[in-house]
Amino acid sequence: MRILVIGSGAREHALVNALAHGNGAGNDVHAAPGNPGMTAATCHPDIHTTEQIVGLCRDLSVDLVVVGPEVPLVEGLADILRAEGIDVFGPSKSAARIEGSKAFAKDVMAKAGVATARAEQITEERDVDEVLSHFEAPYVVKDDGLAAGKGVVVTEDLQAAKAHAHEVLAAGNPVLVESFLDGPEISLFCLVDGETVVPLLPAQDHKRVGDNDEGPNTGGMGAYAPLPWVSQDNVDRIVNDVVRPVAKQMVAQGDPYSGLLYAGLAWGKKGPAVVEFNCRFGDPETQSVLALFGSDLSEYLLATAQNRLSEMGPITWKPGYAVTVVLAAEGYPEHPIKGDPITGAEGTLHAGTAVVDGQLVSNGGRVLSVVGLGETLEEARATAYEQISRIELRGSHYRTDIGRKAAEGKLSVQ
């Protein structure tokens, strides 16, 4: 199968590796624009626009396009490709609003009867104080649009909450203020084809930049899968109470979903409640989940794209655990420094790198993802941290506690 992966980050690098080296070995994998680490794919670094992507698909006679990032999906790339007769894994522009507009997602959940945080939208500066007065600390203030995982502030400080709301409004975006959801967070990826839902392994992201969940939110500093504190019955409950009702509602309202639906949840005293939906594979959870994928990923993605997911058998998974640790550039997330040389990156997934005069250098905030495997979660953690310790990048930093609470048995659901 000839497959084109759209994107350039560690998520797309993980997709390329799974499509090229997994049980689908023999696939001819291409990436646009790709990154310097994607040796398993033919990269097309000059392909960026929709027109260029369509032209490349024609030139390559691709069998499947897999769209990694959210922005092209929200802008309608999948619709354009489908109109050209090209099979694509990714939702339509209409369905991608589940991530592109938090207000749209809240409306879908309300109609589907899915538990989520109470929310109010702010569109005018003058309403910030009044709306925030309707909520208690900790305050959850979100950019009601695409913010690459960094548009949310969770704070006990009312003034900080107000400041973020004004900052988002000043940028021309609406604000969503939500009630805080208690309990540990769970990321559950599901292949969705209309009303057919196939869950992948549950994972957990670590959003804050520092150990012990300190510091500002980031795009994600690490993840692990599966979750030893989440049973199959728990996963089934999420599918039956959250994902399947949302998929059914989107079909009912004329926005049928096709692709990867990411449910970010908090499991508190009342059970799972939705923090957010994403319309694509999440980063860095993808790196851990796909490292354990035992079936032919390409066949499942193609079946989803061709509306025949219901015909596929159960997914098989490799035993053990996978831990992903993100190496970030100096100054990330506020002001990442680019252009510093990197050594020791062999076997890692590239996120923000470039090659300048033959030297691999940093070219983004999250630079590399390191994935460790092990029979136990602690073994997988040890493998990941041993590998990341060998990487040299001036001023770089990473969290040392990815998966630690779970390995110590400190997480559970009620």
Side-chain angles (χ1 to χ4, degrees), residues 100-103 120-124 141-145 151 164-165 168-177:
S101 169
K102 294 177 180 65
E120 290 187 44
Q121 189 183 62
I122 305 173
T123 57
E124 301 291 340
V141 183
K142 296 182 175 181
D143 184 331
D144 186 22
H164 184 64
V168 172
L169 290 167
N173 296 328
V175 170
L176 207 67
V177 181

Side-chain angles (χ1 to χ4, degrees), residues 318-342:
K318 300 173 186 176
Y321 293 83
V323 172
T324 299
V325 182
V326 171
L327 183 79
E330 181 179 2
Y332 179 78
E334 291 89 352
H335 304 290
I337 295 174
K338 302 179 182 180
D340 286 328
I342 305 167

